[in-house]
Amino acid sequence: PQIAQLYTTQNLLVLVTNEASTCEYSDKGFFAYGEGVRMTGEQTGEHQANLDSKIYYVLCRDTFGNEGRYTIYV
């Protein structure tokens, strides 16, 4: 999955992917899938996390097991 759109609104980081996926994040560095904090939206195209950090390490996985890793600076 790839990031199609990324923005902040109120107290949320919103990430839109180009396909259905499940995303997790950490503010401490990259991690293995299943070890991060789950973002909202399981197997969907829109995911949200509380906006309480300046950097997010995001890992998204689609239904086929393909992963996308991203570093997001807010």
Side-chain angles (χ1 to χ4, degrees), residues 19-74:
E19 63 180 309
S21 59
T22 301
C23 297
E24 300 178 345
Y25 72 93
S26 171
D27 60 358
K28 299 190 180 7
F30 282 110
F31 54 92
Y33 187 81
E35 296 177 355
V37 177
R38 180 76 53 104
M39 297 179 82
T40 63
E42 188 169 325
Q43 290 305 315
T44 187
E46 184 173 310
H47 312 278
Q48 299 177 349
N50 288 331
L51 191 59
D52 53 9
S53 181
K54 296 289 183 194
I55 186 168
Y56 291 82
Y57 300 91
V58 178
L59 174 58
C60 297
R61 180 183 277 182
D62 67 12
T63 57
F64 302 105
N66 299 314
E67 294 181 350
R69 292 181 181 268
Y70 307 98
T71 304
I72 300 169
Y73 298 92
V74 180

